[in-house]
Amino acid sequence: MSFGAEELGDLPFIQEAGELLVRKGYGLSMDELVENWSEPFVAAGVKRARDAVMEGRVDESLNGMAPEQRILSFVVAALVVRTTGNQYAIKRFALAEAKRLEERVFQRIRSNRYDAAVLLSAIYSRILGMSLERVDRTIGPERFEVNLGLRDYLSLSSSLDASKWGIVNRVVDGGRVYMKLEDAARLLRSGIADRIERRVSSMEIPSPPAPIAEAAAKLSEEVVKTRPPPAAAAVSVSREQYPPCIRSILKRLEAGENLPHSARFLLATFMVNIGMPTDDVIALFSRSPDFNERVTRYQVEHIAGLRGGKRYSVPACPKLVAQGLCARDDTCDDIRNPISYLRRRPTGTGGGGNGRTRPGRRRDRISEDEL
């Protein structure tokens, strides 16, 4: 399948989209862009950048624009975001754009499943370099429409909730994972976001024109004002005294990685149980590209027992090993739970003067929720 103009309007980050602009007579030089700064696609692009970074979404009004106008608005947005020099902003932008493509694919699924399957197969093949095969196969009670190689599936699903996306909950046959179209569309998100992030990060803008620099400066200022700084640990526990698994997760989070749900759950339960205020726990997650304060606050308060009355306990080490979260070293000794690491190691002057912290008392264990 070759992408038509409409598809390219939703895939503005690939080479064919730029080729469409050239065929339509649009120049892609910085000078030509500035000369056309009063055009509607410019305002749409600046808004697109702001909405993606600050709101985590792209305005649906773009869908009413001509394909080449949508592509141009993406170019403007990418230039603005890249000029901020803020990697967090770039990650937020890439994720929002990936979500937009995902929703456009879902719209295609709702209107014509066959066409959607063809489009999905082409996106997987030509953009992700993966083979998504179209099938019509019933296995047990389920009818499947596509399958994906096991290695590719694991790569795309690693940050998703294992209770649904874990391979043990999937139908696998002949080294391929069978799915419905909706699941294949959802799996696109991380792969597409990664490619957009790399594309934007690689853009070289040695001397951005004044209009782009001004838009980038305004966006940067807004990001700095609204993004909380890294939270401090509870007074009696310093970061150096955290168990290796927690230090590893914090390092990944601060690098802007989208953590899997199991890692988020571990971090939240650990911080809650050492006495970190809920606002500080929420601030930790603000460094995630997909951060949503309302959802995160609800989940953290639920973990802390402020909603429903039950507080989550920290997952045990054997479970963390199974989830690939264990970072055990020789300081762990034979502990069975990360919280026990603090009970065995000095943690300053807190905890009643005995040099040790007193983690929260274990309560009823309940299932993990997405942060």
Side-chain angles (χ1 to χ4, degrees):
M1 170 189 176
S2 59
F3 296 125
E6 276 300 321
E7 285 82 17
L8 291 175
D10 295 327
L11 299 166
F13 50 89
I14 66 174
Q15 181 178 339
E16 291 95 319
E19 294 170 354
L20 174 64
L21 292 181
V22 173
R23 292 197 301 272
K24 293 287 186 177
Y26 290 96
L28 296 178
S29 72
M30 200 71 73
D31 289 340
E32 288 176 289
L33 185 63
V34 173
E35 288 174 4
N36 290 281
W37 200 252
S38 60
E39 292 292 324
F41 70 79
V42 174
V46 173
K47 184 178 187 300
R48 184 172 187 160
R50 194 268 170 197
D51 287 348
V53 175
M54 302 308 303
E55 306 294 337
R57 61 176 179 79
V58 178
D59 198 317
E60 292 183 1
S61 64
L62 284 173
N63 299 340
M65 299 176 68
E68 58 270 21
Q69 295 289 304
R70 299 204 301 271
I71 297 169
L72 285 165
S73 75
F74 174 86
V75 173
V76 171
L79 287 169
V80 170
V81 173
R82 178 66 183 90
T83 302
T84 67
N86 187 312
Q87 196 61 35
Y88 171 79
I90 293 174
K91 287 179 178 291
R92 288 275 293 180
F93 174 74
L95 184 60
E97 288 289 342
K99 288 180 179 179
R100 177 182 183 274
L101 174 60
E102 178 186 328
E103 178 52 35
R104 295 290 281 173
V105 172
F106 269 105
Q107 291 173 8
R108 184 73 69 92
I109 291 172
R110 290 190 287 269
S111 63
N112 188 313
R113 298 188 75 86
Y114 176 81
D115 285 352
V118 173
L119 175 61
L120 273 168
S121 181
I123 291 174
Y124 270 85
S125 173
R126 298 176 60 184
I127 300 177
L128 301 184
M130 300 177 180
S131 173
L132 183 76
E133 296 180 351
R134 288 177 285 139
V135 298
D136 183 1
R137 183 177 177 185
T138 299
I139 302 177
E142 297 280 352
R143 177 176 173 268
F144 298 100
E145 297 160 286
V146 290
N147 64 40
L148 183 66
L150 179 58
R151 179 178 295 180
D152 291 335
Y153 177 87
L154 292 173
S155 171
L156 295 177
S157 65
S158 62
S159 64
L160 300 178
D161 185 357
S163 66
K164 176 180 179 180
W165 298 93
I167 200 65
V168 296
N169 298 311
R170 291 282 152 177
V171 174
V172 183
D173 185 41
R176 300 190 70 81
V177 183
Y178 284 75
M179 298 176 286
K180 294 183 180 298
L181 292 181
E182 288 80 1
D183 286 349
R186 173 61 183 87
L187 274 180
L188 277 177
R189 187 185 299 178
S190 65
I192 295 297
D194 179 65
R195 278 149 185 79
I196 295 174
E197 180 186 343
R198 285 193 276 117
R199 177 72 181 271
V200 175
S201 296
S202 67
M203 296 173 70
E204 296 184 3
I205 316 174
S207 181
I212 293 175
E214 290 169 7
K218 184 176 180 180
L219 179 58
S220 293
E221 183 179 357
E222 194 169 2
V223 170
V224 170
K225 284 182 178 179
T226 58
R227 185 186 182 200
V235 173
S236 62
V237 185
S238 70
R239 176 167 175 161
E240 292 73 21
Q241 293 160 333
Y242 293 159
C245 55
I246 298 299
R247 296 199 303 269
S248 173
I249 290 173
L250 285 171
K251 184 176 180 180
R252 293 165 61 189
L253 186 63
E254 290 165 359
E257 181 178 337
N258 255 338
L259 297 174
H261 301 299
S262 54
R264 301 181 192 212
F265 179 76
L266 169 59
L267 182 60
T269 53
F270 181 85
M271 294 305 179
V272 163
N273 276 277
I274 67 172
M276 180 178 281
T278 54
D279 282 346
D280 288 349
V281 179
I282 292 165
L284 280 176
F285 289 103
S286 71
R287 306 185 71 79
S288 177
D290 62 354
F291 176 67
N292 180 309
E293 182 176 1
R294 180 185 60 80
V295 174
T296 303
R297 179 172 296 280
Y298 177 86
Q299 299 293 357
V300 171
E301 289 180 351
H302 193 57
I303 284 172
L306 302 179
R307 297 174 182 265
K310 292 183 179 180
R311 182 166 61 190
Y312 287 71
S313 56
V314 182
C317 294
K319 183 172 185 178
L320 302 183
V321 171
Q323 293 174 331
L325 298 177
C326 180
R328 181 181 293 271
D329 62 22
D330 57 7
T331 66
C332 294
D333 299 324
D334 59 348
I335 63 169
R336 301 282 294 172
N337 191 294
I339 209 73
S340 301
Y341 190 90
L342 300 181
R343 295 192 181 114
R344 293 176 175 227
R345 302 180 68 80
T347 56
T349 59
N354 62 0
R356 299 178 185 276
T357 187
R358 290 179 58 84
R361 184 165 61 90
R362 182 184 180 92
R363 303 291 181 88
D364 294 343
R365 182 182 298 277
I366 53 182
S367 61
E368 300 175 16
D369 280 333
E370 174 185 351
L371 286 172

